[in-house]
């Protein structure tokens, strides 16, 4: 067992616990992100509003993905795409 495998094995339970906490407190995290974005936008007097909104949106998506990473996605229905074969010979 290599060092990386050992680290993954030890960090797995912590990652699961963090995911559970993120799912449990997702609304508070989202509210905190909005509040921080609003404060930064006010302090910069709207100079970076578009970048702040973009970053906040990406952070919210990341929290959502992390909080719901155990939930089955919409495309886990049993149909799989077959692996691509070799390119046709010309």
């Amino acid at each position: 067992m290599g060092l990386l495998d050992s680290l993954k094995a030890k960090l797995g339970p912590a990652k699961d616990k963090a995911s559970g906490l993120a799912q449990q407190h997702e609304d508070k995290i989202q509210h905190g992100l909005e509040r921080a974005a609003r404060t930064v936008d006010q302090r910069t007097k709207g100079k970076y509003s578009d970048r702040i909104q973009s970053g906040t949106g990406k952070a919210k998506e990341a929290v959502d993905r992390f909080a719901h990473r155990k939930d089955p996605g919409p495309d886990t229905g049993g149909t799989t795409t077959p692996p691509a074969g070799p390119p046709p010979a010309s």
Side-chain angles (χ1 to χ4, degrees):
M1 184 184 246
L3 178 65
L4 190 57
D5 292 333
S6 176
L7 282 174
K8 283 182 183 180
K10 290 181 181 179
L11 292 177
K15 190 173 182 181
D16 291 339
K17 185 171 183 173
S19 177
L21 288 171
Q23 188 173 17
Q24 185 179 4
H25 299 288
E26 186 175 6
D27 56 337
K28 292 179 184 179
I29 296 169
Q30 300 284 351
H31 179 69
L33 286 170
E34 290 172 7
R35 189 172 178 194
R38 197 174 330 117
T39 300
V40 171
D41 196 32
Q42 288 173 351
R43 296 244 175 141
T44 59
K45 298 181 175 120
K47 186 175 179 180
Y48 303 104
S49 289
D50 55 335
R51 292 181 183 170
I52 292 168
Q53 284 213 326
S54 173
T56 303
K58 289 178 182 179
K60 286 181 179 182
E61 289 173 13
V63 168
D64 189 45
R65 279 193 316 268
F66 186 67
H68 300 287
R69 70 182 185 93
K70 290 183 181 177
D71 296 344
D75 50 343
T76 58
T79 58
T80 59
T81 307
S90 41

